[in-house]
């Protein structure tokens, strides 16, 4: 493949000399130069602004490199576009034989897709994602990666990136070229390390996910503004009522939106003992801290205040997170364009997760409550329908597989309710009797809830105190001894699962990291701290690291199963263009797509269910050599409103 280099044109340069007039010999801006035949291309863009949906901003320049030579293109300067340069770049983006290598490559792809409406067919390699996989605790920015992997100095500060149009275009091009120039050598060094760490397969999966995320973000999702307005008005009315109730609670005037006022009322006036602190050391008044106070509260007057404060805080959070920003989300094309992050992708470790779960911003879909009240504001595009599916009890199925716990595997193979099955296994009450009585007999219902909490919590280090508090928040009042008994019964009954958990803790303590079946690691240096008799802080840090490690193994395996399924769904839509199908949203273990309403949507829903339950398992075997033996369940439905 040849990348054609066309005439370099400064268009209308600023009336001053560039700061860096001497160009390295391997960086070109001349029509006489062409890159060699290559399928691997380092890539970077420089843009005015960071939001590609803003019609007032544009791509200023782009640079491509084969690892030896680099071409810098002017794309748009002083309002003029270079159509020939755009033609060259389009040939890259739409060529399935090309792999673009970039740092946070999704950012660059989005700009080109949005501004020029190209079709994304190339492959990608994200050196930022590779940095994250190699060490998720380190900064994954390009400056740090260059220093860490290539021992190269950073070019940061070479130009004013916040206002590139104030810079001479020559300086912008050179800065752009330097970044593209570093990508292939950086990738090659990272590939060596990924190979040593046995993480090339999971990197290949991630590389297939980024183009999908770019397309999801570019398409966006439709929003029912009237539905949102009605829900917003109801939330506001509820908050006003709750605020008045708090004003009349007998503690004087205070602003429930002020952390300072809440600290004064809760800790000074009422006299609650703080249960946690903020990073700055102040007594916390976040939702979790207030919930802890509620669980420990014995005073009726204080309980009355908290009964109003807890729902008020929750509703105000919903307003600020999902309703007040709506006009900003819809500003450009009346659609919501969520940004998804895979891994900790930003300088300073901001954004993303360490498990492989996707995180999202603008809005944060991961925390929006289930049901049509809030999720219902998101609707299909006109003449389309949603296909929505959600893995059932995925993390429990993952835990059963990892531990090869025979009783749990048998329950899933028999399509039993896993919580009723656990109660039956532990208590000896017949499974059918529990299923028949769980909605009629309060004692049976409460017992089942107890085992449900243990089921979900045991792989994450559930303690008797945690179980006590969770059950109390659900209105079930068991003493600590009963909680200890339930957890002990579970560990005895599911001995293989408990043995696996203890084995992972031992491994984490000895190595300082956890590793999941697909190869990803979670480095936990606190696990290797030396225990000192009587030092509760060190013991707490070690225990937390152990919990985080076991949590990581289960949660990350579940997350990557979902991502693998998205890759297969995306290919399914490519193979069936008549559906005009698009992945739209991904939240935890659920995936939402939209397809043309006039197609056989029920058949599409069945196909997607088959993909998630079967094709994912096949790929786990083909790519990672994992012989999965626990059935997956991904029920799907056709809907006209997200729920």
């Amino acid at each position: 493949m040849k990348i054609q280099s066309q005439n370099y044109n400064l268009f209308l340069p600023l009336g001053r000399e560039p700061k860096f007039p001497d160009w390295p010999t391997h960086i070109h801006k001349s029509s006489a130069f062409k890159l060699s035949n290559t399928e691997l291309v380092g890539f970077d863009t420089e843009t005015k602004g960071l939001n590609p949906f803003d019609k007032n901003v544009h791509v200023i320049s782009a640079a491509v490199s084969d690892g030896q030579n680099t071409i810098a293109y002017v794309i748009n300067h002083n309002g003029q576009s270079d159509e020939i340069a755009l033609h060259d770049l389009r040939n890259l983006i739409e060529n399935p034989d090309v792999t673009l290598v970039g740092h946070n490559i999704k950012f660059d792809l989005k700009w080109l897709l949005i501004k020029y409406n190209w079709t994304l067919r190339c492959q990608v390699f994200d050196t930022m994602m590779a940095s994250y996989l190699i060490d998720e605790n380190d900064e994954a920015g390009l400056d740090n990666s260059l220093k860490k992997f290539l021992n190269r100095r950073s070019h940061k500060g070479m130009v004013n990136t916040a206002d590139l149009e104030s810079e001479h275009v020559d300086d912008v091009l050179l800065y752009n070229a330097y970044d593209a120039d570093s990508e292939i050598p950086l990738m090659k060094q990272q590939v060596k390390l990924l190979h040593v760490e046995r993480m090339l397969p999971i990197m290949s999966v991630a590389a297939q996910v980024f183009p999908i995320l770019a397309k999801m973000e570019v398409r966006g999702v439709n929003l029912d503004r009237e539905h949102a307005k009605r829900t917003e008005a109801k939330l506001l009315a509820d908050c006003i009522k709750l605020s008045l109730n708090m004003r009349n609670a007998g503690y004087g005037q205070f602003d429930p939106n002020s952390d300072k006022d809440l600290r004064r009322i809760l800790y000074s006036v009422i006299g609650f003992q703080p249960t946690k602190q903020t990073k700055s050391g102040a007594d916390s008044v976040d939702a979790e801290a207030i919930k802890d106070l509620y669980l420990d509260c014995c005073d009726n007057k204080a309980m009355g205040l908290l009964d109003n404060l807890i729902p008020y805080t929750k509703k105000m959070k919903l307003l600020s997170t999902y309703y007040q920003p709506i006009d900003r989300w819809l500003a450009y094309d009346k659609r919501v364009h969520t940004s998804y992050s895979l891994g900790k992708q930003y300088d300073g470790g901001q954004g993303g997760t360490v498990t492989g779960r996707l995180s999202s911003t603008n809005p944060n879909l991961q925390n929006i409550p289930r049901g049509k009240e809030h999720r219902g504001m998101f609707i299909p595009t006109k003449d389309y329908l949603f296909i929505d599916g959600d893995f059932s009890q995925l993390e429990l199925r993952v835990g059963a597989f990892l531990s090869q716990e025979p009783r749990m595997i048998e329950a899933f193979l028999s399509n039993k309710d896993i919580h009723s099955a656990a109660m039956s296994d532990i208590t000896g009450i017949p499974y059918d009797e529990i299923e028949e009585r769980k909605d009629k007999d309060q004692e049976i219902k409460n017992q089942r809830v107890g085992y449900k909490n243990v089921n979900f919590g045991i792989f994450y280090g559930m303690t008797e105190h945690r179980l006590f508090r969770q059950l109390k928040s659900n209105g079930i009042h068991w003493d600590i001894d009963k909680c200890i008994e339930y957890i002990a019964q579970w560990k005895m009954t599911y001995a293989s699962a408990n043995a696996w958990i203890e084995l992972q803790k031992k491994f984490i303590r000895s190595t300082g990291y956890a590793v999941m079946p697909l190869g990803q690691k979670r480095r936990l240096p606190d696990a290797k701290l030396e225990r000192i008799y009587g030092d509760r802080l060190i013991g707490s840090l070690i225990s937390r690291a152990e919990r985080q490690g076991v949590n990581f193994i289960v949660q990350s395996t579940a997350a990557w199963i979902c991502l693998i399924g998205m890759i297969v769904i995306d290919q399914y839509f490519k193979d069936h263009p008549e559906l005009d199908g698009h992945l739209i949203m991904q939240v935890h273990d659920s995936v939402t797509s939209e397809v043309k309403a006039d197609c056989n949507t029920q058949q599409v829903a069945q196909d997607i269910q088959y993909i998630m339950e079967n094709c994912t398992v096949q790929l786990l075997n083909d790519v990672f050599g994992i012989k999965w033996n626990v059935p997956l369940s991904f029920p799907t439905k056709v809907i006209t409103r997200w729920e």
Side-chain angles (χ1 to χ4, degrees), residues 405-418:
E405 172 51 61
R407 286 177 179 258
M408 295 181 76
I409 293 175
E410 175 58 31
F412 286 125
L413 286 170
S414 303
N415 199 29
K416 290 182 177 179
D417 177 281
I418 190 64

Side-chain angles (χ1 to χ4, degrees), residues 63 106 111 116 208 254-255 288 305 307 337 343-344 351 366 375 390 420 456 487 498 542 562 585 615:
K106 180 166 65 73
W111 277 83
Y116 307 113
Q208 296 175 70
F254 71 97
D255 181 1
E288 183 180 352
L305 175 68
D307 278 336
H337 298 275
K344 283 195 170 182
Q366 316 304 315
R375 292 190 178 192
D390 194 348
S420 296
F456 278 125
I487 292 174
N498 187 52
I542 295 171
C562 203
M585 293 180 287
C615 297

Side-chain angles (χ1 to χ4, degrees), residues 563-617:
L563 293 174
I564 288 169
M566 291 171 63
I567 294 172
V568 186
I569 293 174
D570 182 67
Q571 186 59 51
Y572 169 77
F573 287 147
K574 290 177 183 176
D575 294 340
H576 297 83
E578 71 279 4
L579 302 176
D580 195 20
H582 306 269
L583 284 160
I584 292 294
M585 293 180 287
Q586 198 279 325
V587 178
H588 298 310
D589 301 327
S590 71
V591 177
T592 306
S593 308
E594 67 176 13
V595 298
K596 293 287 287 184
D598 58 6
C599 72
N600 187 345
T601 52
Q602 292 298 332
Q603 183 60 54
V604 176
Q606 292 176 25
D607 291 345
I608 290 176
Q609 180 170 348
Y610 181 85
I611 285 169
M612 300 301 273
E613 293 178 353
N614 298 278
C615 297
T616 51
V617 172

Side-chain angles (χ1 to χ4, degrees), residues 487-499:
I487 292 174
Q489 287 175 337
W490 194 99
K491 290 180 177 180
M492 186 181 303
T493 303
Y494 297 115
S496 294
N498 187 52

Side-chain angles (χ1 to χ4, degrees), residues 183-197:
E183 288 303 326
I184 292 180
L186 177 58
M187 182 206 74
K188 290 180 176 179
Q189 184 63 25
Q190 289 175 329
V191 165
K192 291 178 184 178
L193 294 172
L194 289 168
H195 176 70
V196 170
E197 295 286 339

